[in-house]
Amino acid sequence: MATFSINLKDGTVETNKPLIVGIDLGTTNSLVAFIKDGQPYCVKGADGRSTLVPSVVHFTENGDIIVGDVAKEKLIEDPANTIFSVKRLMGKSFKDIQKNRDFFGYQIIDDDTESLVKIRVKDRFYSPVELSALILKELKSRIEAELGQAIEKAVITVPAYFNDTQRQATRDAGKLAGFDVLRIVNEPTAAALAAPPGIEGAVAVYDLGGGTFDISILQIQDGIYEVLSTNGDTFLGGDDFDRILVEFFLVQLGQNRDDLTSNPEFGQRIRLLAERAKKELSKTDVFEEELEGKKLCITQATFEILAEPLIERTLDCCRNVLRDAKLSAAQIGQVVLVGGSTRIPIVKRRVTEFFGRPVFDDLNPDEIVALGAAIQADILAGNQQDILLLDITPLSLGIETVGGLMDAIIPRNSKIPTKAARQYTTSVDGQKNLKISVFQGERDLVEHNRKLGEFILSNIPPMPAGLPKIDIQFILNADGILIVRARELRSNLETQVEIKPTYGISEEEMALMLIDSIQNAESDIAARGLLEARNEANSIILSGDKFLSQNAEILSEAEQSETRTLLTKLRESVTGQDKDSILLAMELLNAYTTPLAHRALDVNIRAAMQGKKI
Ligand code: ADP
Ligand code: MG
């Protein structure tokens, strides 16, 4: 166990509490913070200048990897090997980002499966998880250098809207960087933790960063922090303010937008200059500078007019988030400003006006999330007893479905207590019993996960396969005790069992299961794909046989024989190991039989109607 030791002037003081650090893994900048003498601090780099590590990774000619300020400078000269904004890609599939592909200066590739995106750098492919791990490693070495000891335990923040895949990806990145990630925390929750002590009630966290805008409404009551609603724009942030300044300067230079693309170096130079101008205008009334022998000049007043539409867009999101939380601006008790872009005076003024109350801006807006993460870490370490945070379930809980597949009903990291349900059906005609096997773990096949128990829903009234509606409900209470309830909805048959999921799984075992799930992700995906294809094919074969026997009079000899041939081909492919050939056989059978099925349906409907003599 890591001990928290700090060097004081009069000697070394050691406590036995494990030191857990807080990390803000941002789209633009990342930071690490820790608690010293009960106060949170962000760690500065070796040069002692800034606490921010730009979230940029650069791959050099000779294979070195650079993270942070130096990497950010390479964006100009070597964009193809310099990765920024990787957070936008976390847990995303190629399809998810199709629309915004042009945004990235580097190469994003589709690895041909339904799976997550990869980024190509030279001849290697990196997942967003690996790239984020590189940023986290940089933060790890920063804090280790600062404290002179190995640090393992960390809390990492994510946007409140991150889904389970994105949260897991973040956790995995932490693990890959050598951290034991104790908790994934919502950024607005962290910000609220760092904000004024003892705030209660409805809190708005307005977070305008480099490339994204997030607005969240939290309800804080008796130390419980709950996110009521979130809204925002994943393509609105400081970069857009830079862009409007670039446009303004282009006019002063007598140049146009085409010059940015035809001369990329000029483009990057003017962009960096614009960012500097923007920051300066947060402090002074006028910005002046020469570029290429011409004078550039802009006043704060002009900048504010240009920035107005961007700010208005953030306020639209604020209106939406309030509507979703069913609150009015006047009901918000506290407004916390987060993100470097809230340093812009007009942003602060307009947000103050919107909520009709002074905003909290005592802390550095670009550090507040990391500071809050450190506080959260301190709570987890047991140093702050008065704050209660909702617990989460460490591993996914689910049931076994056909072919030994794990179907997660309550995903890992869900807040507890929680409840989730899903409907299933039978796969065999007249099936009377349904065995429900409950598993815990992250792997796609149940055989690799841990079985928690099983029970049988018996005496299901005989029905054709697919007709029964079996509702399986998982209820996980605050103590981590799981109750599984199964109910056949057509007959109202019900049974339930109580299962203790965490019983018997040690921290080490849990860690092993998680590592296992990362290392085997690829083979799991392949195995899952094959099993799913087989399951689908088997049910198509069943219905194909049924179709043939029920419609012998409607189909011609040739049609029946062709259908039979296609069915045989599908049967053969199912016994093989090739997912694609199963899919192809299925496709061929479907294409051929769909028009036949339509015709049969028409005939049957007509017959039925005549029978009823309408
Ligand atoms: P993220 O959460 O997206 O990682 P940050 O909260 O670190 O981002 O915000 C970065 C953005 O804040 C950048 O666009 C930067 O230009 C902007 N920023 C930082 N300081 C100032 C300032 N003094 N005035 C205006 N914008 C600033
Ligand atoms: Mg941020």
Side-chain angles (χ1 to χ4, degrees):
M1 183 191 281
T3 51
F4 180 16
S5 68
I6 41 172
N7 291 311
L8 298 176
K9 285 194 190 98
D10 54 350
T12 300
V13 172
E14 283 214 334
T15 76
N16 256 337
K17 295 266 165 61
L19 178 56
I20 310 173
V21 297
I23 293 176
D24 171 6
L25 183 61
T27 311
T28 321
N29 296 301
S30 299
L31 305 85
V32 57
F34 71 109
I35 301 277
K36 189 161 89 177
D37 299 338
Q39 286 297 317
Y41 292 93
C42 289
V43 182
K44 290 199 173 95
D47 57 4
R49 272 196 319 151
S50 172
T51 54
L52 305 181
V53 175
S55 307
V56 184
V57 181
H58 173 67
F59 295 83
T60 67
E61 260 322 297
N62 50 24
D64 289 341
I65 296 170
I66 305 173
V67 175
D69 285 307
V70 182
K72 188 178 172 183
E73 282 161 23
K74 301 289 178 192
L75 273 172
I76 301 181
E77 48 190 273
D78 195 5
N81 297 310
T82 311
I83 317 298
F84 63 96
S85 285
V86 68
K87 184 174 176 178
R88 292 180 190 284
L89 301 175
M90 288 291 263
K92 293 283 176 87
S93 72
F94 185 68
K95 246 185 165 158
D96 292 332
I97 54 133
Q98 193 80 18
K99 206 175 74 200
N100 302 106
R101 266 189 96 194
D102 294 342
F103 171 86
F104 303 94
Y106 43 89
Q107 212 181 346
I108 297 168
I109 63 122
D110 173 18
D111 62 359
D112 257 9
T113 62
E114 277 290 291
S115 60
L116 307 172
V117 291
K118 286 232 166 66
I119 294 132
R120 182 175 184 159
V121 184
K122 301 190 175 103
D123 290 334
R124 278 208 56 185
F125 296 96
Y126 294 90
S127 66
V129 169
E130 289 170 289
L131 294 165
S132 299
L134 293 170
I135 298 168
L136 290 169
K137 266 190 194 151
E138 172 70 23
L139 295 173
K140 191 165 187 276
S141 59
R142 254 194 189 199
I143 180 109
E144 289 181 342
E146 168 88 10
L147 298 175
Q149 69 179 61
I151 297 293
E152 273 145 26
K153 297 183 187 301
V155 163
I156 306 179
T157 60
V158 294
Y161 62 79
F162 255 29
N163 65 24
D164 191 61
T165 321
Q166 293 168 302
R167 283 163 198 266
Q168 289 196 29
T170 306
R171 192 180 266 268
D172 294 345
K175 210 162 293 147
L176 215 55
F179 281 116
D180 174 10
V181 183
L182 297 186
R183 181 86 42 107
I184 295 290
V185 190
N186 289 320
E187 287 162 12
T189 305
L193 273 172
I199 52 171
E200 285 266 294
V203 175
V205 179
Y206 179 102
D207 181 351
L208 191 57
T212 55
F213 170 64
D214 297 316
I215 172 82
S216 318
I217 307 290
L218 305 185
Q219 179 69 36
I220 306 175
Q221 210 77 64
D222 303 324
I224 297 179
Y225 290 65
E226 191 187 353
V227 180
L228 291 185
S229 62
T230 66
N231 208 286
D233 189 329
T234 49
F235 284 88
L236 173 60
D239 299 347
D240 299 286
F241 291 80
D242 300 348
R243 211 163 292 135
I244 55 173
L245 282 172
V246 167
E247 305 255 342
F248 185 80
F249 291 148
L250 280 175
V251 175
Q252 290 196 336
L253 290 170
Q255 305 210 30
N256 60 44
R257 253 187 252 172
D258 295 341
D259 299 323
L260 299 177
T261 32
S262 62
N263 183 355
E265 234 193 284
F266 166 72
Q268 289 297 346
R269 197 138 25 89
I270 192 165
R271 219 160 272 156
L272 288 182
L273 182 119
E275 191 188 5
R276 206 150 40 76
K278 174 185 73 175
K279 288 185 180 168
E280 201 137 322
L281 288 174
S282 296
K283 288 186 303 223
T284 61
D285 289 339
V286 192
F287 173 85
E288 282 178 314
E289 186 153 317
E290 275 202 6
L291 185 73
E292 306 193 326
K294 289 200 179 116
K295 201 181 129 206
L296 298 177
C297 171
I298 184 165
T299 62
Q300 196 184 59
T302 308
F303 174 62
E304 294 190 344
I305 294 168
L306 297 173
E308 186 61 36
L310 295 176
I311 298 170
E312 197 44 50
R313 273 168 66 194
T314 70
L315 297 179
D316 281 339
C317 297
C318 293
R319 287 180 194 106
N320 291 336
V321 85
L322 284 172
R323 195 198 51 220
D324 291 349
K326 300 192 174 61
L327 291 172
S328 67
Q331 284 172 298
I332 299 295
Q334 187 70 245
V335 181
V336 182
L337 292 189
V338 180
S341 300
T342 60
R343 284 214 169 91
I344 299 172
I346 176 101
V347 171
K348 210 176 282 185
R349 283 208 309 276
R350 301 283 277 115
V351 177
T352 308
E353 272 164 35
F354 179 88
F355 287 100
R357 54 169 305 121
V359 294
F360 174 82
D361 60 353
D362 293 357
L363 293 169
N364 268 344
D366 37 24
E367 290 186 349
I368 191 165
V369 169
L371 295 173
I375 294 171
Q376 164 92 58
D378 203 40
I379 297 167
L380 285 179
N383 296 328
Q384 300 197 24
Q385 305 288 346
D386 47 341
I387 303 179
L388 174 88
L389 283 149
L390 292 180
D391 218 345
I392 50 163
T393 169
L395 293 168
S396 302
L397 295 162
I399 63 164
E400 174 178 358
T401 58
V402 186
L405 284 176
M406 169 87 175
D407 198 13
I409 294 182
I410 295 180
R412 172 155 74 100
N413 291 341
S414 297
K415 251 192 317 196
I416 58 173
T418 184
K419 176 159 96 165
R422 199 165 289 177
Q423 280 188 11
Y424 298 88
T425 188
T426 51
S427 52
V428 180
D429 283 343
Q431 190 171 330
K432 281 218 254 3
N433 299 323
L434 184 77
K435 190 166 81 183
I436 296 151
S437 306
V438 182
F439 285 83
Q440 180 171 39
E442 308 315 310
R443 297 287 299 276
D444 281 344
L445 299 180
V446 292
E447 61 178 289
H448 299 130
N449 292 332
R450 167 172 289 248
K451 188 174 203 167
L452 297 175
E454 71 180 27
F455 64 103
I456 290 171
L457 178 68
S458 48
N459 300 321
I460 302 170
M463 281 182 256
L467 203 59
K469 269 197 191 157
I470 296 154
D471 187 66
I472 297 190
Q473 196 176 35
F474 274 39
I475 303 154
L476 191 57
N477 71 18
D479 300 323
I481 298 187
L482 176 69
I483 292 167
V484 181
R485 221 176 254 163
R487 204 147 64 95
E488 201 291 301
L489 298 178
R490 292 185 194 277
S491 58
N492 234 351
L493 185 69
E494 178 168 341
T495 178
Q496 83 172 44
V497 288
E498 188 178 293
I499 291 163
K500 286 201 175 69
T502 43
Y503 178 78
I505 295 193
S506 66
E507 278 276 316
E508 290 74 30
E509 270 183 291
M510 202 156 78
L512 274 179
M513 286 169 89
L514 290 174
I515 290 169
D516 219 36
S517 77
I518 303 170
Q519 286 171 349
N520 293 293
E522 250 167 60
S523 62
D524 270 11
I525 289 165
R528 178 179 269 270
L530 179 62
L531 276 176
E532 278 173 352
R534 275 192 193 145
N535 286 345
E536 201 182 335
N538 281 329
S539 80
I540 285 187
I541 291 170
L542 275 181
S543 50
D545 287 342
K546 223 186 222 172
F547 175 70
L548 275 180
S549 64
Q550 286 172 351
N551 297 293
E553 285 116 67
I554 300 168
L555 303 173
S556 72
E557 278 297 326
E559 283 166 346
Q560 292 186 40
S561 132
E562 178 63 17
T563 305
R564 234 173 261 122
T565 312
L566 289 169
L567 271 167
T568 310
K569 286 209 178 113
L570 182 57
R571 270 200 189 86
E572 281 164 11
S573 72
V574 168
T575 58
Q577 299 294 319
D578 183 11
K579 176 191 81 175
D580 294 321
S581 73
I582 301 176
L583 295 180
L584 180 69
M586 241 174 345
E587 173 89 35
L588 291 174
L589 178 68
N590 269 340
Y592 184 75
T593 54
T594 302
L596 304 188
H598 283 202
R599 201 175 79 220
L601 191 67
D602 282 349
V603 174
N604 289 330
I605 288 174
R606 247 179 282 132
M609 286 169 74
Q610 277 159 11
K612 279 188 183 160
K613 296 199 170 58
I614 292 171

